[in-house]
Structure formats: C-alpha cells, structure tokens
Amino acid sequence: MSNPIILTTGIYDAIKDTLRRKKVSMPEEKRLAEELRKAKQVLRRDLPADIVTVDRKVTIKDHTRNFEHEYIFVASAKAKPVKNKHSILSDIALATVGYKVGDIIDWPFRDGERKIEILKVESCHG
C-alpha cells in the first residue's frame, strides 16, 4: 500500500521495540520496518477517528479465509484475548495498526500471506 500509515509516537516506539526484540517473523519484520520508515507520526489528539490504534474496536474482513471478525485493541498489559481484547502488538493488530477504514492489506502472517480489509473502526475505552 502506497499511503503511509498514521501512528501516535507511543505506538511507533512500541512497534520499534517489538522489532528490536525480534518478536515477529522475518517477513513481518521486513514489512513493519518498511512501514515505519514511511509512517506519519501524530499526537494522540490529532489521530483521525478511522485509524486503527489502541483502544479502538476494529472490524476486519479476511478475504483469504472469507470471514469477518471484530477485535478490540488495547495496551499489552490490558490484553485479554478471551474477552476479545487483543494487544496492540498482537499479529492482527500489527498488520492493521495505522491503517484506516477501507484499506485492504496483504500481510505476511506467520501462517502465510492473507488479504484483510478494515471495515469499521470505533472508539472504545476499557
């Protein structure tokens, strides 16, 4: 995708740290490093409402596996996957963070390349 992703400085730094610690696969690392190089950093209050980030409920369509799912992305310390609260540094969050509603992303997940689309982004707290 040619448009740069939009991230808050805090999320940008967290992703850089994740890369430094080698917490992702090689294809993911290459892709994230490339996206971070072009990323636009903004203050939290300047982040558009339709951008995937922490404390947002995101509806994603997986075109490869043909299903839709809603995720709630939270700070890593608040992650509770059983309650559908996923760390902003989880695989699906890293694939979509910084993108906006309508974006279609080809992402190198650990289990193979998948095409995913961001259908909806809503603010949520807690």
Side-chain angles (χ1 to χ4, degrees):
M1 190 149 292
S2 56
N3 290 342
I5 60 173
I6 303 172
L7 303 169
T8 61
T9 303
I11 298 294
Y12 179 92
D13 291 344
I15 295 171
K16 273 202 104 68
D17 189 53
T18 298
L19 292 179
R20 201 170 45 249
R21 294 178 188 202
K22 304 283 186 211
K23 299 273 190 188
V24 294
S25 69
M26 261 329 265
E28 284 177 301
E29 183 180 339
K30 279 191 180 126
R31 178 70 182 271
L32 284 166
E34 180 185 316
E35 290 194 348
L36 287 180
R37 269 196 298 282
K38 298 183 293 189
K40 179 179 172 191
Q41 290 186 59
V42 299
L43 296 172
R44 178 101 177 144
R45 68 175 178 262
D46 297 332
L47 193 69
D50 65 345
I51 297 287
V52 176
T53 191
V54 72
D55 294 329
R56 300 248 165 111
K57 188 190 305 181
V58 182
T59 306
I60 293 168
K61 177 163 179 69
D62 186 321
H63 289 275
T64 307
R65 296 186 174 168
N66 199 25
F67 74 91
E68 280 182 27
H69 192 75
E70 191 177 85
Y71 299 89
I72 298 169
F73 295 138
V74 296
S76 296
K78 294 181 180 172
K80 291 187 176 73
V82 293
K83 292 187 174 177
N84 199 29
K85 292 185 178 186
H86 299 269
S87 164
I88 194 65
L89 299 175
S90 65
D91 286 355
I92 190 69
L94 287 173
T96 56
V97 70
Y99 284 100
K100 67 183 182 315
V101 171
D103 283 345
I104 297 175
I105 308 146
D106 289 307
W107 193 260
F109 287 95
R110 291 174 200 269
D111 57 359
E113 185 92 13
R114 285 172 25 208
K115 182 187 290 266
I116 54 178
E117 179 178 359
I118 299 167
L119 300 178
K120 191 159 70 169
V121 177
E122 303 168 87
S123 184
C124 72
H125 299 284

